[in-house]
Amino acid sequence: MAETGNELTKHINQSNNPRADLHLHTTYSDGALSPEKIVQRAQSAGLTIISITDHDNVGALDEAIEAGKKLGVEIVPGVELSVTLNEKDIHLLAYFFDYKNQKLQDYLAFFRYERLKRAERIVQKLNDIHISLDMDAVLNQAGIGSVGRPHIASALLEEGLIDTYHEAFMKYIGVGAPAYEKKYQLSPNEATQLIAQAGGLTFLAHPGKYTTELELSTLIQAGVDGIEVVHPSHNEARQEFYRGVIHQYFLLECGGSDYHGGRKNDDQVLGVYTVPLQVVEDMRTRLFS
Ligand code: AMP
Ligand code: FE
Ligand code: FE
Ligand code: ZN
């Protein structure tokens, strides 16, 4: 049945309703698939435009653009950044920036270095509570990608130190858990300015997961250009709510699957959480006209 559903979605997408997915992860962060594989999957799902939005990393873009040229999929340069607001970790998505911009590249390298040091602190905290995880096991999971808690969770699982992936967050590395460590603290203003100086647009990612209305208004004041409306964590009512905010503040919309390739339920999201191509056109209009 699932097969048939996917085939149908793909057919509809390709025929008269071309779609974009602007939130995808590869092995350059915590995704399981290479840029080339992601582009292939996207094409099979009937997507016409995609953005690769790895955490603190634009390393996938050259490979993805290359693959996209062969397969007829347009790749919008993207990245997912983390900022801190009221002690909370908030994700921002950025698009259409110059990904060769030196200042941006330097900052991303710095954020990745900070992620590495933080992973070491988390491993130390785990060891302190007698969970004998080795940093090498984490680095094995991360490979070439920006190191994150998902790699630590996978390493714990692989080493048989937990029974399920989610247990890692609940028992050890989630907010408030004994081995939790903060990331580098970047303010929303700093992030929007970093992206703006590289010629791009910044969006608040999946606000439904954690963002209060007060925080939403603070982020709008900090210069975000739009809000991610379509996301697996948003139901219809949420989407309508954010569309209302967008309309009120003359913001832009973005959306996508947050596909990480290989995680549970992942294969049901590709080609399903999409936006019309007009969403991408509206971004171009705001930037280039
Ligand atoms: P990091 O950027 O290293 O702090 O890792 C954040 C990522 O960890 C998020 O994007 C999620 O993919 C994952 N994550 C965070 N909290 C949880 C949780 N409670 N259960 C499962 N995954 C989580
Ligand atoms: Fe992720
Ligand atoms: Fe995110
Ligand atoms: Zn993401």
Side-chain angles (χ1 to χ4, degrees), residues 60-73:
L61 295 176
D62 279 331
E63 279 170 64
I65 289 166
E66 189 73 16
K69 275 184 194 151
K70 287 184 197 137
L71 295 170
V73 178

Side-chain angles (χ1 to χ4, degrees), residues 35-192:
E36 195 182 357
K37 276 260 156 56
I38 284 280
V39 178
Q40 283 167 3
R41 294 268 177 110
Q43 194 221 28
S44 304
L47 297 163
T48 310
I49 302 181
I50 63 168
S51 183
I52 302 222
T53 52
D54 280 312
H55 300 280
D56 299 332
N57 204 330
V58 292
L61 295 176
D62 279 331
E63 279 170 64
I65 289 166
E66 189 73 16
K69 275 184 194 151
K70 287 184 197 137
L71 295 170
V73 178
E74 182 185 339
I75 317 296
V76 174
V79 74
E80 187 166 10
L81 300 175
S82 305
V83 298
T84 308
L85 181 61
N86 306 330
E87 296 285 302
K88 239 191 235 181
D89 185 36
I90 291 194
H91 291 179
L92 300 179
L93 290 163
Y95 302 109
F96 282 115
F97 49 84
D98 167 19
Y99 66 97
K100 310 272 184 191
N101 177 272
Q102 196 56 50
K103 187 170 174 186
L104 177 70
Q105 294 237 357
D106 290 348
Y107 264 95
L108 295 179
F110 170 68
F111 299 151
R112 293 196 295 273
Y113 175 68
E114 289 291 325
R115 279 176 167 279
L116 186 65
K117 290 204 300 188
R118 173 223 200 194
E120 284 170 353
R121 294 198 301 275
I122 293 178
V123 168
Q124 184 57 53
K125 277 190 164 175
L126 286 169
N127 294 345
D128 290 346
I129 54 169
H130 309 294
I131 307 299
S132 57
L133 186 71
D134 205 275
M135 188 61 196
D136 283 345
V138 176
L139 294 177
N140 263 337
Q141 292 292 332
I144 55 169
S146 316
V147 188
R149 284 181 292 157
H151 300 120
I152 298 174
S154 299
L156 285 166
L157 192 60
E158 188 102 326
E159 300 291 309
L161 296 163
I162 47 172
D163 295 321
T164 67
Y165 179 83
H166 282 275
E167 199 183 324
F169 291 91
M170 284 187 303
K171 273 173 83 173
Y172 302 123
I173 62 174
V175 179
Y180 177 72
E181 275 286 315
K182 284 178 190 155
K183 271 188 293 203
Y184 175 74
Q185 313 254 299
L186 182 73
S187 77
N189 266 300
E190 287 168 317
T192 53

Side-chain angles (χ1 to χ4, degrees), residues 25 30 55 260 263:
H25 294 270
D30 52 354
H55 300 280
H260 286 76
R263 281 194 201 162

